Amino acid sequence: MNWGKGLAIGYTSFALLLAGMVYLTTTVTPELVTTDYYARELAFQDKIDARELAKEDGMEVSFEQIDQGLNLSFNADVSDVTIEVLRPSDSKLDLDLAFGEDAPVSAYLIANSDLQTGPYSFMVEWSVGEKRYYSKQNYYYQ
């Protein structure tokens, strides 16, 4: 084989590789973490303050996977809890949960039917008395 054929094969291989990459990038749908990211960004300082307050006061959320689902436990009786569960790879699996408006609770169970195996991002906001707390944690549900 002479150098002309090698050059033609190399150029053709490179062109096919580029065409394949263009095809792959056009078939992937870009998933945003959330559609209202701009409004959330404006209120982000409040979340930072609530997260720092949770660290200072020793308030935390713990996750325990049990047979019925995922149990979220708080180290105090909390009220006005909102949980946003985001699945990075599929926004159809996202959840928005709220509880504790009527009476304080110390734990919450997310049923197996609401979660599928994979990574999730949990953003939990809660109150103890007049103080508002926030926590963001990643968890791999199995």
Side-chain angles (χ1 to χ4, degrees):
M1 176 164 74
N2 62 22
W3 65 270
K5 286 182 184 177
L7 187 63
I9 290 172
Y11 181 75
T12 304
S13 298
F14 180 71
L16 288 173
L17 176 72
L18 282 179
M21 292 307 242
V22 167
Y23 173 74
L24 287 176
T25 57
T26 58
T27 59
V28 174
T29 58
E31 290 275 341
L32 294 176
V33 173
T34 179
T35 55
D36 61 341
Y37 62 92
Y38 182 72
R40 289 172 168 248
E41 199 63 35
L42 293 176
F44 191 63
Q45 186 60 45
D46 294 336
K47 303 269 189 211
I48 293 171
D49 295 340
R51 182 184 281 183
E52 289 300 316
L53 185 62
K55 286 181 186 176
E56 289 172 11
D57 291 352
M59 302 298 291
E60 58 185 38
V61 181
S62 60
F63 297 87
E64 181 184 8
Q65 192 163 338
I66 58 176
D67 292 338
Q68 295 85 7
L70 185 64
N71 192 33
L72 280 68
S73 301
F74 301 90
N75 56 355
D77 285 341
V78 300
S79 59
D80 194 25
V81 181
T82 58
I83 302 173
E84 187 174 6
V85 183
L86 299 179
R87 177 71 183 259
S89 60
D90 188 359
S91 62
K92 291 179 228 125
L93 298 175
D94 293 351
L95 298 171
D96 285 320
L97 309 167
F99 60 94
E101 294 90 9
D102 301 329
V105 295
S106 61
Y108 184 76
L109 178 68
I110 301 175
N112 280 331
S113 59
D114 293 333
L115 299 171
Q116 291 183 4
T117 300
Y120 286 90
S121 182
F122 288 84
M123 286 154 282
V124 185
E125 213 172 334
W126 70 97
S127 295
V128 175
E130 295 297 317
K131 294 184 178 180
R132 195 83 181 135
Y133 299 103
Y134 176 78
S135 175
K136 180 178 179 183
Q137 297 182 32
N138 295 323
Y139 187 82
Y140 190 88
Y141 185 77
Q142 297 182 3

